[in-house]
Amino acid sequence: MKQILISGVIALFLSLVGTPLLIKLLARKGYGQFIRDDGPKEHHSKRGTPTMGGIAFILATLIAYALTKVIVSERPTMSGLLVLFLFAGLGVVGFLDDYIKIVKQRSLGLRAKAKMAGQFIVGITFAILSLNFADGRGTTPASTRLSFTQDFGWSIGPVIFVIWALFMILAMSNGVNLTDGLDGLATGASVMVFAAYTVIGVWQYGQSCSNPLTAGPGCYDVRDPLDLAVVAAALMGACFGFLWWNTSPAKIFMGDTGSLALGGALAGLAICSRTELLLAILGGLFVLITLSVVIQVGSFRLTGRRVFRMAPLQHHFELKGWSEVLVVVRFWIIQGMCMAVGLGLFYAGFVAAK
């Protein structure tokens, strides 16, 4: 259990110390954020703020996980490595997107097809690998059955599972990307979800089917629950450290480098902890903001009218006169309630199974 504390503390420290160093490096190279003219006018003052800050918490998370394993003299697990692969792989896709925006001065970054191809390659690779590497009990990091608080129903088969996993990865990575529009909003919301997955991993480890003392009704058939908690704690700590510099007024933005990576980590944790559908509640803010874009686009194409003054949803409230800080704090409250409901349902599922 000490692994969780060690990984979280190391990641927090590295992110707190490393982010200002990255800010200086990016500012020296002139890698500043491009601000679209059709957004809220208050955002124009942010033009030139260093971006690609996701590099800081990606490196902090990876280093913290590696150092934790060295300190406790344990080998990494396949579940932990696969989630980190998805996290870092999508971070690379986001980095290429950010780099092209800045260096090529092309506001949309990677072409849509190229960006989607990168997400597809990383996502499909993760999905296929997660169905392999069975442990001594024959349990693989992922399952071909759907899950809420645990697996349920029949197997959907490997092909449909890969499609389902890819949908989750694309939905969450783009959901976090859409949420990352205000200082600290996506970072703070992500901290809460990673905290929830730390709790879930610890609980699943304590009630694991691999333990003869806890095997039975309600036990969790998850391959590496404790290591998933270690990864989640590292992600939480790294995001916390980054939030110190990313909160209003932000000294650095995470960019697509960070938002795609965080979304991938959330999807990976959900798939490997067998809480796929529960993620829609635990990460309810990301779902809500994504739905606002879907509704806005769908309404405009079908009726020629817009439901919101601007999408994503956070900008709608800005245009209504809410200050940026007010929007962020209230959206954090919404995310906190989603996290609480999600954890409540997770525990209720355990009690019901008993």
Side-chain angles (χ1 to χ4, degrees), residues 60-77:
T61 300
L62 297 178
I63 294 172
Y65 179 80
L67 287 178
T68 299
K69 292 303 174 183
V70 172
I71 291 171
V72 301
S73 300
E74 287 192 10
R75 292 183 178 182
T77 66

Side-chain angles (χ1 to χ4, degrees), residues 32-37 46-49 51 101-102 105-108:
Q33 177 70 33
F34 176 88
I35 302 296
R36 294 173 57 181
D37 292 329
K46 301 181 181 183
R47 184 175 280 114
T49 301
T51 187
K101 287 178 186 176
I102 296 166
Q105 292 295 302
R106 196 168 75 203
S107 63
L108 296 179

Side-chain angles (χ1 to χ4, degrees), residues 15-321:
S15 187
L16 270 174
V17 174
T19 302
L21 299 178
L22 180 63
I23 292 172
K24 293 179 181 179
L25 175 63
L26 294 173
R28 191 180 307 125
K29 291 184 174 293
Y31 291 172
Q33 177 70 33
F34 176 88
I35 302 296
R36 294 173 57 181
D37 292 329
D38 58 349
K41 295 180 180 178
E42 292 80 5
H43 289 201
H44 293 174
S45 62
K46 301 181 181 183
R47 184 175 280 114
T49 301
T51 187
M52 295 194 292
I55 295 172
F57 58 73
I58 290 174
L59 292 178
T61 300
L62 297 178
I63 294 172
Y65 179 80
L67 287 178
T68 299
K69 292 303 174 183
V70 172
I71 291 171
V72 301
S73 300
E74 287 192 10
R75 292 183 178 182
T77 66
M78 282 311 304
S79 297
L81 291 176
L82 282 170
V83 172
L84 291 175
F85 162 76
L86 184 58
F87 171 63
L90 290 179
V92 171
V93 175
F95 172 80
L96 294 174
D97 189 44
D98 287 332
Y99 187 78
I100 291 173
K101 287 178 186 176
I102 296 166
V103 177
K104 301 292 185 180
Q105 292 295 302
R106 196 168 75 203
S107 63
L108 296 179
L110 278 174
R111 302 296 183 189
K113 290 183 178 179
K115 187 174 181 179
M116 187 66 71
Q119 292 175 295
F120 266 61
I121 292 171
V122 175
I124 291 174
T125 302
F126 165 83
I128 292 174
L129 291 176
S130 68
L131 292 178
N132 293 279
F133 305 104
D135 62 9
R137 298 181 299 119
T139 306
T140 54
S143 167
T144 56
R145 295 165 64 191
L146 293 178
S147 60
F148 184 58
T149 59
Q150 296 194 52
D151 288 341
F152 66 85
W154 296 278
S155 169
I156 59 176
V159 175
I160 297 179
F161 166 78
V162 170
I163 296 172
W164 165 241
L166 183 60
F167 168 77
M168 283 189 62
I169 293 165
L170 292 175
M172 286 311 302
S173 59
N174 288 301
V176 178
N177 184 251
L178 290 171
T179 305
D180 182 36
L182 302 181
D183 294 355
L185 179 57
T187 310
S190 296
V191 166
M192 297 182 205
V193 189
F194 290 134
Y197 271 109
T198 303
V199 172
I200 287 172
V202 171
W203 185 262
Q204 288 179 332
Y205 176 70
Q207 304 294 330
S208 175
C209 294
S210 64
N211 186 344
L213 297 177
T214 56
C219 70
Y220 296 95
D221 195 20
V222 177
R223 189 186 190 279
D224 308 296
L226 182 60
D227 209 40
L228 291 176
V230 172
V231 172
L235 287 161
M236 178 179 63
C239 287
F240 240 135
F242 182 75
L243 183 60
W244 182 270
W245 306 100
N246 180 235
T247 194
S248 183
K251 300 295 188 295
I252 188 170
F253 300 134
M254 70 170 69
D256 283 11
T257 305
S259 60
L260 295 187
L262 291 179
L266 291 172
L269 286 170
I271 291 169
C272 291
S273 66
R274 312 298 215 277
T275 56
E276 297 159 4
L277 297 177
L278 185 65
L279 178 59
I281 299 173
L282 288 170
L285 180 65
F286 303 124
V287 175
L288 179 65
I289 288 176
T290 301
L291 286 176
S292 73
V293 175
V294 173
I295 292 170
Q296 183 85 325
V297 173
S299 176
F300 186 76
R301 289 184 176 178
L302 292 174
T303 67
R305 296 181 179 180
R306 292 180 172 86
V307 177
F308 306 105
R309 295 188 180 186
M310 185 177 181
L313 187 61
Q314 61 269 32
H315 299 316
H316 166 78
F317 289 103
E318 278 193 291
L319 293 179
K320 286 190 67 174

